Amino acid sequence: ACTCVSREVLTQSARVAWSALFFVAMCVAWLMRDFAKPLLEKIPWIAREAATMGMEDRWYGQQAVYRVSMGSFLFFMTMAGIMVGVKYTSDQRDRYLHHGNWLVKLGIWLLFTALPFLFPNNVVEAYAWLARAGSGLFLIIQMIILLDFVQTWNDTWVAAGEDDTQWLYALLGLTIAAYAGVLTTAGLMFHWFVPSGVEGGCALNVTFITLGLVATVVYALMSLHPASSQGSIFPAAMVSLYTMYLCFSAMESEPKEYACNGLGAQITAASGTTLALGMVATLASVVYAAFRAGSNTHLFTLDGSLDGGDGSPERAALLAADREETGAAGLDGLPPPCASDMARDYGGTDAPGTTGGASPAMDDFTPVAYNYAFFHTIFALASMYIAMLMTGWGEVEQDKERIDVGWASVWVKICAQWLTGLLYVWTLIAPALFPDRQFT
């Protein structure tokens, strides 16, 4: 039974296994950033440039992060290229490359991770600039996923509220809680990032906070306007809470030497365990964001299908017949592998409590649960984002005790805050501007 469960996790839930591998890649980048200098000093083309340009110790960590990130990027993009066109679970690439042979893939990933350390510095610097663009794209995809999730959540609970008003009361409670979170976050920002006695009064931070509060009111009013057919107060509240969180995170990323960052000194003075837990939480959030984005294939296809192609009548008929004859599929849409093993244990007959495997015809027409090429592309973009996260978007002056610190990080998050708001506003006004088009 234990063997069956472990095989189910590794073979069926490939998304979980890939996410675990990506988390390992991020941890390697984190460790290399802080402890890679003795290793890099032994690589001639890296040490030569450091000596010529008089680079500080932190430059070595930046180079290590770029190279680990580049290795993961190349690995996942290679997997994405290989997985292009995989539409059915009968494809050998599904079974042997996406869902199986994890030790082999781990070894290949290690080779890809080591490969960039052989590249000259100018190639790595070019990748760093490419990573900035790829990271921006990853953030935009995150925003789209968030907006879709919140809207779907709202529509689902509103539909359930037609039969049971408790769902509507729950939405109301969450809406009030979200706005309370917005006000609480704003209060904390005024307390920590607008300290008294600072020359100039921290006008930049005051502007960030004030504009965030004004935007919260605008989102609410627009969502309740009669012309906003897609508007609802709950999504507006959740978007407001998220954008205020981005504002808070932006000011938290301000350099600790900045007089208006009252929280920076407190974080620096925190225990090593607290700092480590905070960084692990940050890395875990990136893994989850990549996992969710890679799985939400339907948002990024032209016709709403998982593979972007039209389903044949034969395939639809076989799917309908298979649903009547077989049991539940696995976590990634594949039939549970242990069922076939149990059948062999019973002398070739079906195990008790099972309904048998899929029909031979269904072996050719069972669709994959999501687009594998898109899934790996998302992890490739997330690999780029990790390089920016670990280096403060390319700033050599990154603190060893923290990640995602520096003015570049501040402005990236502020831009992400306002871009999220603009995307939400677009979902409200687009149906009115284009009444002939369907927005779902």
Side-chain angles (χ1 to χ4, degrees):
C2 293
T3 302
C4 180
V5 171
S6 61
R7 187 179 303 173
E8 173 73 12
V9 171
L10 286 177
T11 304
Q12 293 302 99
S13 186
R15 283 174 285 192
V16 174
W18 284 114
S19 298
L21 178 61
F22 179 66
F23 184 78
V24 171
M26 290 193 300
C27 291
V28 170
W30 177 17
L31 292 173
M32 292 289 284
R33 187 197 70 168
D34 294 343
F35 305 106
K37 181 182 177 182
L39 173 63
L40 296 187
E41 285 180 327
K42 298 179 181 179
I43 301 178
W45 47 92
I46 298 178
R48 188 181 307 116
E49 179 171 342
T52 302
M53 303 182 65
M55 295 298 185
E56 298 180 358
D57 292 350
R58 292 172 181 173
W59 180 84
Y60 287 97
Q62 185 187 68
Q63 286 293 308
V65 169
Y66 285 159
R67 292 168 194 271
V68 172
S69 166
M70 188 178 186
S72 291
F73 168 77
L74 294 174
F75 173 75
F76 283 112
M77 282 306 297
T78 300
M79 288 298 303
I82 294 173
M83 292 297 162
V84 169
V86 176
K87 298 181 180 180
Y88 308 112
T89 57
S90 59
D91 195 307
Q92 296 300 309
R93 291 173 292 176
D94 182 357
R95 181 172 301 275
Y96 294 108
L97 293 179
H98 188 70
H99 282 89
N101 298 313
W102 285 102
L103 289 179
V104 174
K105 288 185 291 193
L106 178 61
I108 295 174
W109 171 78
L110 289 173
L111 290 176
F112 270 93
T113 302
L115 182 63
F117 287 88
L118 304 178
F119 294 166
N121 294 329
N122 56 351
V123 173
V124 177
E125 290 298 328
Y127 167 77
W129 283 103
L130 179 64
R132 289 174 172 85
S135 300
L137 180 58
F138 177 73
L139 290 175
I140 292 174
I141 292 174
Q142 276 188 265
M143 299 170 199
I144 296 174
I145 294 297
L146 170 70
L147 294 177
D148 175 73
F149 171 74
V150 171
Q151 190 63 51
T152 301
W153 185 357
N154 178 79
D155 294 344
T156 302
W157 282 26
V158 168
E162 296 177 359
D163 300 323
D164 187 352
T165 56
Q166 291 184 353
W167 292 101
L168 299 180
Y169 286 120
L171 269 182
L172 177 61
L174 288 174
T175 301
I176 295 174
Y179 280 122
V182 168
L183 295 177
T184 301
T185 303
L188 291 174
M189 286 191 289
F190 274 114
H191 174 69
W192 278 324
F193 303 111
V194 190
S196 58
V198 177
E199 184 179 355
C202 300
L204 180 63
N205 287 354
V206 172
T207 301
F208 287 157
I209 301 170
T210 304
L211 289 178
L213 290 172
V214 171
T216 296
V217 176
V218 172
Y219 301 151
L221 293 177
M222 291 190 65
S223 68
L224 296 175
H225 194 278
S228 300
S229 60
Q230 301 290 329
S232 182
I233 191 64
F234 173 69
M238 297 304 292
V239 169
S240 298
L241 181 61
Y242 177 69
T243 54
M244 288 301 285
Y245 157 74
L246 287 176
C247 184
F248 180 92
S249 182
M251 286 185 281
E252 187 182 16
S253 294
E254 292 173 343
K256 63 182 179 182
E257 297 83 7
Y258 184 50
C260 294
N261 186 0
L263 185 61
Q266 299 181 34
I267 293 178
T268 303
S271 67
T273 302
T274 302
L275 293 170
L277 289 176
M279 285 190 275
V280 169
T282 301
L283 299 182
S285 67
V286 175
V287 172
Y288 179 75
F291 177 90
R292 292 293 301 172
S295 303
N296 279 268
T297 309
H298 71 281
L299 288 177
F300 305 96
T301 54
L302 296 178
D303 62 357
S305 63
L306 290 180
D307 54 25
D310 297 327
S312 64
E314 294 82 0
R315 170 183 164 185
L318 287 168
L319 286 173
D322 186 69
R323 293 189 189 101
E324 297 177 358
E325 297 175 1
T326 62
L331 294 175
D332 276 350
L334 294 175
C338 299
S340 60
D341 296 340
M342 293 170 65
R344 285 194 297 270
D345 294 339
Y346 281 85
T349 61
D350 292 338
T354 64
T355 58
S359 62
M362 279 305 303
D363 289 341
D364 294 330
F365 289 97
T366 302
V368 297
Y370 52 97
N371 188 308
Y372 296 161
F374 180 79
F375 176 83
H376 288 288
T377 300
I378 290 297
F379 274 91
L381 294 176
S383 299
M384 290 181 159
Y385 179 64
I386 272 301
M388 297 297 101
L389 195 69
M390 294 287 181
T391 63
W393 291 78
E395 292 189 2
V396 177
E397 296 81 8
Q398 182 75 357
D399 288 335
K400 189 173 183 179
E401 296 84 6
R402 300 169 62 189
I403 60 176
D404 202 20
V405 175
W407 285 111
S409 296
V410 172
W411 287 107
V412 166
K413 291 177 181 179
I414 291 296
C415 290
Q417 174 193 3
W418 287 101
L419 184 56
T420 300
L422 290 175
L423 287 174
Y424 175 65
V425 169
W426 173 252
T427 65
L428 297 177
I429 66 175
L433 294 177
F434 303 97
D436 296 333
R437 297 186 60 183
Q438 182 179 4
F439 294 88
T440 56

